[in-house]
Amino acid sequence: MLSLRLARGARPLALLRRSLVATAAAGTGFLLLCALGYAAGHPEQADDAVVRLLWCVVPLAATAQLAVSVARADPSVPFGPVFAAAGGGPARSALLAAASAALSCALGCVPALLVFLHLRGDLGGSWPLWPDAGSGAASGALGAGHPVPWAAAVTLLALVPAVAAAACAVHLWPRGARRARGARAGGRARGAETAPRGAAPELAARRLPWGIALTAAGIAMEAYTNNADSGPPPPPGGLLPLPGHLGGSPPGVVGGWALTAVGLVLAGPGLTHLCGRLLAAGRPGALRLLAGRVLQQEAGRLGHPIGVLCAVASGAYAAVQLYGAGPGPSGDRPFGPLTGLGAALIMMCATASALTAALETKSARGRTTEALLRLGAPPRLLRGAAALRGVALLIFLAPLAWAVAELSTLPFDR
């Protein structure tokens, strides 16, 4: 009930972020239902149905990450002393954020179920969003004409808000609360409460070598798998086919891509910190110094969403390079509707998470910005520093993501 009241009184920007979470949950729920429909329509192909369901883990993880980013940046989650005086605390605030995320995801899963049933023809008629809904490609992907077990459908739809709520609760759960209370009794907890979580520059720099090592290991695994198979990716019907019409991929290639993505995510804070150091190197002026110092200080908060965005962009570019975007010799397109939906959903979640993290860092630097304005810093300087940070990250990370994608596809260029 408190989550509903907070949603009613939220600002338009907060409502927009929650609507993005609901949209992502709707897309993920629809993909899960499509996997269930395929299993109902093809009981003899149980392995393919399980693989399609396993591929839904990627958009599910992207939705959970977006929910965590929105929960961290949501100003309606009361972490302040007023909520503590009313009987709450950091733990209850984390539970409240988890409940808000679960509510947003549940609201998004309802239209996903309706769209799924309508495209199958269970509600009568069909939409022109999918050609020949109820037959042909839609019959194979949605299992039209075959009954869907409602218990399994409800369980899969409930998985989306449950995972999002669990991720928010685990990420926002207070760590070292007893130490913080003891330090507050001694007058030392004020600075610890205002310090951003995971924003230590030295921690971000220490994770950079591990991220680079995992990325290199993933690329090496892809090269080794391709040399062992001595051929291009297998035809459709392989071990790990993507939902849609995309051909199968060897498990070694999928594992290599996964290691590369984890390495980029792990190296994200270190790369952001390094970008800030390069920006403030030499004899910088006020603009470069302010932009570089902010990037170094906020590397822990910005790094992981930016690393996820780099991993998603690199994977999308590598997939397009390997399989192509146009129709093949037989006229079939390598990316089916479900593959396009999943890719668009993951890209939307990664981009929205990065933008939400940027807004979170802006609100976290509110007092610093006010102090600079009181000292006489012009607002144009602050806006220029923000623009310079964005341009520097784009110039520094875009070639890196492109290079990782090229190295990932290089073993298949024969």
Side-chain angles (χ1 to χ4, degrees):
M1 187 61 66
L2 181 58
S3 299
L4 290 175
R5 290 183 176 272
L6 291 175
R8 288 177 54 190
R11 297 179 179 179
L13 185 58
L15 291 177
L16 176 61
R17 291 196 292 260
R18 293 184 182 183
S19 65
L20 288 177
V21 175
T23 303
T28 304
F30 181 77
L31 291 176
L32 290 170
L33 291 176
C34 288
L36 178 62
Y38 183 85
H42 302 79
E44 71 282 355
Q45 300 179 2
D47 294 340
D48 292 344
V50 172
V51 169
R52 285 172 176 264
L53 188 61
L54 289 177
W55 275 114
C56 295
V57 174
V58 181
L60 181 61
T63 303
Q65 187 216 5
L66 178 60
V68 170
S69 300
V70 170
R72 284 172 56 98
D74 196 350
S76 62
V77 178
F79 290 94
V82 178
F83 187 69
R92 293 190 178 182
S93 298
L95 294 179
L96 179 60
S100 300
L103 177 62
S104 300
C105 292
L107 292 177
C109 290
V110 173
L113 178 61
L114 296 178
V115 170
F116 174 73
L117 294 177
H118 198 103
L119 290 178
R120 279 170 47 90
D122 296 341
L123 301 181
S126 61
W127 289 349
L129 298 178
W130 193 308
D132 299 330
S135 63
S139 177
L142 304 179
H146 301 274
V148 174
W150 284 101
V154 172
T155 301
L156 288 178
L157 287 180
L159 186 64
V160 181
V163 170
C168 291
V170 170
H171 191 83
L172 298 177
W173 193 263
R175 295 176 175 84
R178 296 181 180 179
R179 293 194 301 267
R181 284 197 294 267
R184 185 164 52 250
R188 300 187 302 271
R190 185 177 302 273
E193 292 175 350
T194 58
R197 296 180 56 179
E202 60 276 4
L203 181 61
R206 285 201 301 266
R207 292 178 178 177
L208 181 58
W210 293 100
I212 295 176
L214 283 179
T215 303
I219 296 175
M221 180 181 293
E222 295 173 25
Y224 176 77
T225 303
N226 183 66
N227 291 332
D229 294 343
S230 64
L239 296 178
L240 290 175
L242 289 172
H245 301 292
L246 189 62
S249 300
V253 174
V254 177
W257 280 357
L259 275 181
T260 303
V262 172
L264 286 176
V265 174
L266 189 60
L271 293 174
T272 306
H273 184 268
L274 179 60
C275 181
R277 292 193 62 177
L278 294 177
L279 193 59
R283 303 178 60 182
L287 184 64
R288 282 204 301 129
L289 181 61
L290 181 60
R293 292 302 184 187
V294 169
L295 273 183
Q296 294 180 56
Q297 185 64 29
E298 301 294 342
R301 195 190 302 267
L302 282 173
H304 289 298
I306 290 178
V308 171
L309 185 59
C310 290
V312 170
S314 177
Y317 180 81
V320 171
Q321 287 294 107
L322 281 178
Y323 298 98
S330 61
D332 295 335
R333 291 185 175 273
F335 297 101
L338 296 182
T339 308
L341 174 62
L345 177 63
I346 295 171
M347 183 62 70
M348 184 204 74
C349 290
T351 306
S353 298
L355 294 177
T356 303
L359 292 177
E360 182 191 2
T361 58
K362 180 181 178 181
S363 61
R365 297 193 314 271
R367 294 183 179 179
T368 304
T369 303
E370 293 177 359
L372 289 174
L373 292 176
R374 286 196 304 266
L375 290 175
R380 185 175 58 182
L381 175 65
L382 302 179
R383 291 193 296 266
L388 182 59
R389 289 194 298 270
V391 172
L393 285 175
L394 181 62
I395 294 176
F396 182 71
L397 295 178
L400 178 64
W402 173 82
V404 171
E406 286 291 336
L407 289 175
S408 299
T409 59
L410 187 61
F412 299 99
D413 294 337
R414 289 174 177 248

